[in-house]
């Protein structure tokens, strides 16, 4: 059965995460009260404000204030969570107008066997910056650079916050949902501008993104299969042998009938 | 010790071969193509296999050279990202003339399946390519064949003719 398309009038203009059909199931969230994680919650909520806390797939999640991040990370580290296994941001600009920062911590201490993983989350509005936690966790040096590179979030007091995956002079932040998958204008000309300069754009032409394309007007590359010659070269005469020995189902090409165009039509 | 006397007249020949300078030079060039090792992705594994003993590029006089300064042919094996494009071009510029380029595999030819913002959609946007080698990834035999096609192309050239700058795209 074909699914009804009711809302998608101009789906191409929308950010691609607003899939009109797919809606992931919400994960069941347990209460943190009465579980081993309650100790952590008590430690954190003693001085800092915890907006929300729950257990999601065995991981305790704490929503905190952005300004409390660094002191809370220090507490978490002192409680034995000494591995920052992942950190990044989620682009929720389309849905909520904000980023969600998340920091996943893992403990390997024996007294934390029943409470291994916790996640600290906070909300960041697009123009805000956030404190770097690279002083506590050195692996955050790279993760924060990646988050900056891909989402454009600025981390305060990071020792060298520069791009890590994309080139230094890249325009835009590719992991934003608003960034086109195939790149924007400057992305499509990046290597041409960088190597040859902007004046070469007209000579090299736009990117050809359809790998299955055959250019019928192109008389130099593949359109003269069997009779390839170099540019400006003379078409060789048909050999007598080739004319006489005609294989089954194979059409002998007559190069004299083919044309070499001076320029593309 | 016995003296070895060669009787040239016995084979009704003389120890002289007549040829042209063009074909002599092209023979030398085509039979000692030193590729710049330029492996970027999975195609590079196939390229390494072609250099290994089963396929044995050495018998073509083809020895992988880890420097652009003495290389004749650049085999671009794999996906060229936009960040990398500048270095690819720089290495190509460092190679001495005459030089040739084999674009190995779909990624180098057209960007392949990486139809994204970060991949160069065909290495011929930045350097002129002589042989496009299709496949994902092409087998070592295919690379051998591409090399043989390139040798054939070199043997057809005029050795001293000033070649016009090669076409991009």
């Amino acid at each position: 059965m074909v699914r009804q398309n009711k809302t998608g009038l101009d789906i191409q203009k929308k950010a691609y995460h607003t899939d009109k059909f797919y809606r992931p199931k919400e994960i069941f969230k347990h209460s943190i009260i009465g579980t081993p994680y309650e100790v952590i919650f008590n430690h954190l909520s003693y001085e800092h404000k915890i907006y929300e806390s729950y257990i999601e797939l065995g991981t305790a999640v704490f929503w905190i204030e952005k300004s409390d991040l660094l002191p809370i990370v220090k507490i978490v580290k002192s409680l034995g969570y000494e591995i920052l296994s992942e950190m990044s941001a989620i682009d929720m600009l389309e849905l909520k107008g904000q980023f969600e920062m998340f920091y996943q911590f893992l403990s390997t201490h024996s007294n934390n066997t029943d409470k291994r993983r916790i996640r600290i989350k906070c909300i960041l509005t697009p123009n805000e910056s956030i404190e770097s936690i690279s002083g506590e966790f050195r692996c955050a040096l790279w993760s924060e650079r990646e988050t900056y590179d891909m989402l454009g979030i600025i981390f305060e007091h990071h020792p060298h916050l520069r791009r890590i995956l994309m080139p230094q002079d890249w325009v835009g932040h590719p992991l934003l949902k608003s960034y086109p998958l195939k790149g924007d204008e400057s992305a499509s000309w990046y290597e041409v501008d960088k190597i040859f300069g902007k004046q070469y754009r007209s000579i090299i032409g736009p990117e050809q993104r359809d790998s299955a394309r055959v250019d019928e007007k192109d008389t130099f590359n593949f359109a003269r299969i069997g009779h390839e010659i170099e540019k400006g070269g003379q078409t060789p005469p048909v050999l007598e042998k080739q004319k006489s020995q005609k294989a089954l189902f194979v059409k002998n090409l007559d190069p004299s009938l083919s044309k070499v165009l001076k320029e593309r039509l | 010790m016995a003296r070895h006397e060669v009787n040239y007249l016995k084979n009704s020949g003389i120890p002289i071969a007549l040829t042209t300078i063009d074909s002599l030079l092209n023979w030398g060039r085509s039979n000692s193509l030193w590729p710049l090792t330029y492996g970027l992705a999975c195609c590079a594994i196939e390229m390494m296999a072609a250099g290994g003993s089963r396929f044995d590029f050495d018998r073509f006089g083809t020895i992988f050279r880890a420097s652009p300064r003495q290389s004749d042919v650049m085999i671009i094996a794999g996906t060229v990202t936009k960040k990398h494009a500048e270095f690819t071009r720089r290495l190509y510029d460092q190679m001495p003339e005459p030089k040739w380029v084999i674009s190995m595999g779909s990624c180098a030819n057209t960007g392949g399946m990486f139809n994204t913002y970060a991949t160069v959609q065909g290495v011929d946007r930045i350097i002129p390519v002589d042989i496009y080698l299709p496949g994902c990834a092409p087998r070592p035999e295919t690379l051998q064949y591409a090399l043989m096609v390139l040798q054939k192309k070199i043997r057809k050239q005029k050795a001293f003719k000033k070649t016009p700058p090669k076409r991009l795209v």
Side-chain angles (χ1 to χ4, degrees):
Chain A
M1 190 187 135
V2 179
R3 291 182 289 186
Q4 289 286 310
N5 184 357
K6 283 177 185 167
T7 52
L9 293 171
D10 203 351
I11 202 75
Q12 291 293 320
K13 283 187 179 171
K14 286 188 174 180
Y16 57 87
H17 69 94
T18 55
D19 184 353
K20 57 190 180 293
F21 302 123
Y22 178 68
R23 185 150 300 191
K25 271 186 190 168
E26 233 170 66
I27 297 164
F28 187 72
K29 288 161 184 164
H30 299 273
S31 168
I32 209 158
I33 310 297
T35 61
Y37 281 116
E38 200 181 342
V39 189
I40 313 288
F41 174 74
N42 291 336
H43 265 286
L44 296 179
S45 61
Y46 186 66
E47 279 183 28
H48 305 286
K49 187 169 166 55
I50 308 273
Y51 285 107
E52 209 184 339
S53 64
Y54 48 84
I55 294 175
E56 196 177 55
L57 296 174
T59 304
V61 185
F62 301 103
W63 285 83
I64 59 159
E65 184 72 38
K66 192 201 81 171
S67 53
D68 287 345
L69 179 72
L70 202 56
I72 281 185
V73 162
K74 279 177 182 166
I75 295 171
V76 159
K77 195 179 178 186
S78 67
L79 290 174
Y81 293 87
E82 287 184 332
I83 301 168
L84 174 69
S85 58
E86 200 176 349
M87 64 142 293
S88 189
I90 307 167
D91 177 2
M92 298 295 233
L93 294 175
E94 196 73 19
L95 298 175
K96 295 176 189 166
Q98 64 203 19
F99 291 107
E100 282 179 12
M101 298 296 303
F102 68 90
Y103 298 82
Q104 309 247 82
F105 297 95
L106 173 69
S107 171
T108 51
H109 277 232
S110 56
N111 54 352
N112 279 343
T113 43
D114 46 0
K115 38 185 193 300
R116 282 257 184 259
R117 291 166 195 279
I118 62 171
R119 184 184 305 149
I120 306 288
K121 292 191 86 168
C122 64
I123 283 168
L124 201 64
T125 52
N127 294 322
E128 278 181 330
S129 59
I130 193 165
E131 192 67 28
S132 166
I133 62 160
S134 55
E136 295 301 314
F137 292 92
R138 285 193 71 187
C139 64
L141 285 170
W142 283 31
S143 315
E144 283 173 354
R145 272 176 72 182
E146 192 192 345
T147 314
Y148 163 70
D149 188 357
M150 288 290 153
L151 292 150
I153 291 166
I154 292 172
F155 293 86
E156 288 165 33
H157 307 303
H158 188 287
H160 41 267
L161 192 66
R162 38 188 194 96
R163 285 183 182 271
I164 187 166
L165 294 171
M166 304 309 294
Q168 285 305 112
D169 51 353
W170 191 263
V171 179
H173 300 283
L175 216 58
L176 291 173
K177 304 267 190 205
S178 55
Y179 194 87
L181 179 65
K182 296 180 182 180
D184 54 8
E185 172 80 15
S186 61
S188 66
W189 292 106
Y190 177 80
E191 73 276 22
V192 173
D193 288 358
K194 181 108 180 169
I195 296 168
F196 303 104
K198 274 194 178 179
Q199 68 275 14
Y200 253 73
R201 283 187 181 190
S202 57
I203 296 169
I204 287 168
E207 281 180 327
Q208 185 45 252
R209 285 183 171 271
D210 181 8
S211 55
R213 192 189 72 128
V214 175
D215 188 356
E216 291 174 1
K217 299 286 191 295
D218 187 352
T219 52
F220 302 123
N221 288 332
F222 297 112
R224 294 160 61 86
I225 287 167
H227 300 291
E228 293 92 345
I229 51 163
E230 285 166 19
K231 192 186 181 186
Q234 285 294 313
T235 315
V238 186
L239 297 171
E240 287 301 315
K241 195 180 167 191
Q242 192 190 346
K243 266 187 180 171
S244 58
Q245 289 181 339
K246 187 179 171 184
L248 268 178
F249 307 118
V250 176
K251 191 180 175 185
N252 273 345
L253 298 165
D254 189 356
S256 61
L257 294 176
S258 63
K259 283 183 189 171
V260 177
L261 302 173
K262 288 273 163 54
E263 58 184 24
R264 293 186 176 195
L265 295 176
Chain B
M1 193 179 272
R3 282 185 65 198
H4 294 282
E5 287 190 4
V6 181
N7 187 1
Y8 293 115
L9 291 173
K10 193 181 169 189
N11 296 328
S12 70
I14 44 174
I16 295 171
L18 294 177
T19 181
T20 58
I21 296 290
D22 269 355
S23 47
L24 181 71
L25 268 173
N26 284 340
W27 169 79
R29 276 176 186 169
S30 65
N31 288 311
S32 64
L33 282 172
W34 286 7
L36 171 63
T37 44
Y38 203 65
L40 296 165
C42 21
C43 282
I45 306 295
E46 305 291 327
M47 185 176 74
M48 284 184 245
S53 55
R54 182 175 296 200
F55 298 96
D56 195 14
F57 257 2
D58 289 6
R59 66 199 158 104
F60 291 89
T62 300
I63 296 159
F64 284 102
R65 185 90 182 114
S67 155
R69 310 271 179 197
Q70 289 92 20
S71 305
D72 314 291
V73 53
M74 193 177 195
I75 302 175
I76 295 162
T79 321
V80 187
T81 58
K82 297 205 170 183
K83 192 176 184 178
H84 208 108
E86 193 194 350
F87 317 130
T88 311
R89 178 71 201 193
R90 195 184 301 164
L91 286 171
Y92 175 78
D93 288 341
Q94 283 175 354
M95 285 163 63
E97 292 279 358
K99 54 192 169 187
W100 299 275
V101 175
I102 296 175
S103 166
M104 181 180 180
S106 297
C107 290
N109 291 340
T110 65
M113 62 178 165
F114 302 107
N115 196 351
T116 63
Y117 58 89
T119 307
V120 176
Q121 301 294 309
V123 76
D124 52 6
R125 281 172 70 76
I126 49 170
I127 55 176
V129 176
D130 291 290
I131 310 282
Y132 294 92
L133 174 53
C136 179
R139 296 266 309 148
E141 298 96 310
T142 328
L143 180 57
Q144 274 184 353
Y145 182 63
L147 191 89
M148 284 153 73
V149 171
L150 182 64
Q151 286 182 331
K152 205 170 163 187
K153 182 178 176 171
I154 293 166
R155 283 169 196 150
K156 265 176 27 184
Q157 283 181 344
K158 286 224 163 59
F160 289 110
K161 193 182 166 193
K162 198 178 182 213
T163 45
K166 284 173 184 168
R167 199 166 55 107
L168 273 173
V169 187

